[in-house]
Amino acid sequence: MGKIKVVGLGPGDIEQLPFGVYQLLKKEKPLPLYLRTKLHPAVKDLEQEGLVYESFDAIYEENDQFEGVYETIVKELLEAAQKGDIVYAVPGHPMVAEKSVQLLLENKAEIAIEIKGGKSFLDDLFQAVKIDPVEGFQLVDALDLNQDELVVSQHIIVMQVFNEYIASEVKLTLMEKYSDEHVVALVHEAGSKNEKVEWLPLFELDRMEGVHNLTSLYVPPLKVDERTKSFQTVQHYMDAITGENGDAWIKKQDHQTLLAYLEEEVSEFRAAVENDDIDNMVEELGDLLMQVLYHTNLGEQSGYFSFEEVVETLNKKLRRRHPHVFDGVKAETVEEIDAIWQKIKAEEKRNNL
């Protein structure tokens, strides 16, 4: 039984290939070499130097889902390693956004995985769009993009934006958080001699043509007043309003005096529901949230409780009271769900939860 030596081919040309990786690939009696994909600039140069390898590109063509691709690749690598040491080469750095490597590290076959390094595309991308990552950034996968996890106050890099279809899906997701006119950048082959940075408004993102295996999307952060769809912005405004230099009216309130306003907002939301007034429902729910934040800020200022404690209590309760959602407990009728709830609430009472 051998080991799998995982190396990174860097983000682009052979000049970006780490010398140690180059030596490993070019030694007199090289180990069997497997490439996740041969569609990489450095591979073309290495081919001219007589590089011998097997690639997994055919697996991409045979699978509709990327998850199936990676699992198949890992299975074949583990089988090959049963016969002796092998080298597995991936674009960039093996530990940066490389799903197949993560699956290898989780293997149960007791085959040793040795990470030999490489250079990721991130440094070159930061240089291409001229940003400092110390300001905070997120690296996300276009194939697994979730709008709820985006932090719009940070620089966001979306990798694997390699064709028009993916770009369109990414655009629609980002438009839930950003304006249509928000200027973004498509960065092609960062750090290579063919590097190209294409700045464009978000709504034009899906007009790219062809296949771009080395393309990422850079999304600049929003300024505070532009983050109108962010809950963090609500907290920012509320902290300022209830802070030392904030609103004089709220400084004179306490939990008791605020109750009348909470009841008023509940009544106004009830009226909006009864009138089927969607716009008013949206506004009144916002007003209700404002009242909740007034109370949590008073709790923080008095030192009795914080907003984080309220959220923590809610999250624990949601998780605990929905085993039929999260834990596979069978409950298909309202009666079955009610029985579960009553049992859980009785346990909570016994445990003072």
Side-chain angles (χ1 to χ4, degrees):
M1 182 181 297
K3 70 171 62 171
I4 301 176
K5 298 183 179 183
V6 185
V7 301
L9 297 175
D13 304 326
I14 194 171
E15 290 83 0
Q16 296 175 292
L17 188 67
F19 185 64
V21 173
Y22 180 79
Q23 285 184 311
L24 179 64
L25 298 177
K26 293 291 294 178
K27 68 180 184 178
E28 186 175 347
K29 293 183 179 180
L31 297 172
L33 172 63
Y34 296 83
L35 304 182
R36 179 167 67 75
T37 177
K38 65 181 180 181
L39 302 177
H40 189 282
V43 174
K44 295 179 181 179
D45 295 328
L46 289 167
E47 284 177 337
Q48 296 178 2
E49 299 182 13
L51 185 71
V52 177
Y53 62 83
E54 291 184 36
S55 83
F56 293 114
D57 290 289
I59 297 176
Y60 285 91
E61 299 171 4
E62 297 168 358
N63 287 266
D64 295 329
Q65 301 294 327
F66 273 87
E67 192 66 29
V69 169
Y70 298 136
E71 290 177 350
T72 302
I73 289 173
V74 167
K75 180 182 178 181
E76 293 195 13
L77 288 169
L78 293 175
E79 290 176 354
Q82 295 285 344
K83 304 172 185 176
D85 291 357
I86 65 172
V87 176
Y88 176 49
V90 299
H93 191 289
M95 296 304 296
V96 177
E98 187 54 59
K99 180 66 173 178
S100 64
V101 175
Q102 293 302 316
L103 290 174
L104 273 177
L105 292 171
E106 296 169 6
N107 86 85
K108 304 296 189 295
E110 297 183 354
I111 290 179
I113 309 299
E114 182 179 327
I115 306 297
K116 300 293 288 185
K119 177 185 177 184
S120 83
F121 70 99
L122 289 174
D123 289 347
D124 292 320
L125 189 143
F126 294 143
Q127 180 174 308
V129 295
K130 297 179 175 57
I131 63 169
D132 187 342
V134 76
E135 298 169 359
F137 77 96
Q138 277 185 286
L139 175 63
V140 295
D141 192 333
L143 304 176
D144 191 30
L145 190 59
N146 185 338
Q147 69 182 57
D148 295 331
E149 296 176 356
L150 296 176
V151 181
V152 297
S153 61
Q154 295 186 341
H155 302 279
I156 293 178
I157 298 164
V158 186
M159 48 173 283
Q160 298 206 85
V161 184
F162 49 76
N163 61 28
E164 183 179 357
Y165 173 77
I166 297 297
S168 178
E169 293 295 307
V170 168
K171 180 187 81 170
L172 293 175
T173 300
L174 292 176
M175 279 182 172
E176 296 294 327
K177 294 281 190 177
Y178 301 85
S179 73
D180 295 0
E181 300 288 342
H182 189 61
V183 177
V184 299
L186 284 169
V187 183
H188 309 281
E189 299 188 42
S192 75
K193 56 179 176 291
N194 296 320
E195 176 183 289
K196 180 181 178 183
V197 180
E198 185 180 358
W199 293 94
L200 68 166
L202 180 58
F203 74 88
E204 292 184 1
L205 180 60
D206 55 356
R207 297 180 184 178
M208 63 186 295
E209 297 180 355
V211 177
H212 303 266
N213 290 310
L214 298 176
T215 293
S216 296
L217 175 69
Y218 166 62
V219 185
L222 294 175
K223 297 178 181 178
V224 172
D225 290 340
E226 295 174 330
R227 304 171 201 161
T228 55
K229 298 181 181 180
S230 168
F231 185 70
Q232 285 72 25
T233 304
V234 177
Q235 292 177 292
H236 172 79
Y237 288 152
M238 191 59 68
D239 286 343
I241 291 168
T242 60
E244 183 178 350
N245 299 315
D247 183 82
W249 175 82
I250 191 62
K251 290 181 180 180
K252 295 185 179 296
Q253 307 305 313
D254 56 32
H255 294 297
Q256 192 68 37
T257 61
L258 284 172
L259 286 177
Y261 300 101
L262 179 61
E263 292 168 356
E264 179 183 345
E265 300 300 351
V266 171
S267 297
E268 291 179 355
F269 177 67
R270 181 191 298 275
V273 172
E274 292 173 349
N275 294 327
D276 197 23
D277 187 341
I278 302 301
D279 290 340
N280 224 5
M281 287 172 62
V282 171
E283 182 175 352
E284 297 305 332
L285 282 172
D287 289 345
L288 279 170
L289 178 58
M290 179 173 64
Q291 294 300 318
V292 170
L293 291 173
Y294 277 155
H295 284 281
T296 57
N297 270 267
L298 283 174
E300 289 179 354
Q301 291 171 11
S302 65
Y304 290 128
F305 63 88
S306 67
F307 173 77
E308 286 73 20
E309 288 178 87
V310 172
V311 172
E312 179 183 28
T313 300
L314 174 60
N315 279 328
K316 287 182 176 179
K317 181 181 287 187
L318 289 172
R319 184 63 178 81
R320 187 171 61 244
R321 289 191 176 183
H322 293 81
H324 50 295
V325 175
F326 300 109
D327 299 323
V329 174
K330 183 179 179 181
E332 298 177 354
T333 67
V334 173
E335 292 75 17
E336 288 174 330
I337 292 173
D338 183 65
I340 290 173
W341 272 59
Q342 296 305 326
K343 180 181 178 181
I344 292 173
K345 286 195 285 187
E347 292 174 355
E348 289 175 347
K349 188 173 183 180
R350 285 195 300 271
N351 296 321
N352 294 318
L353 294 175

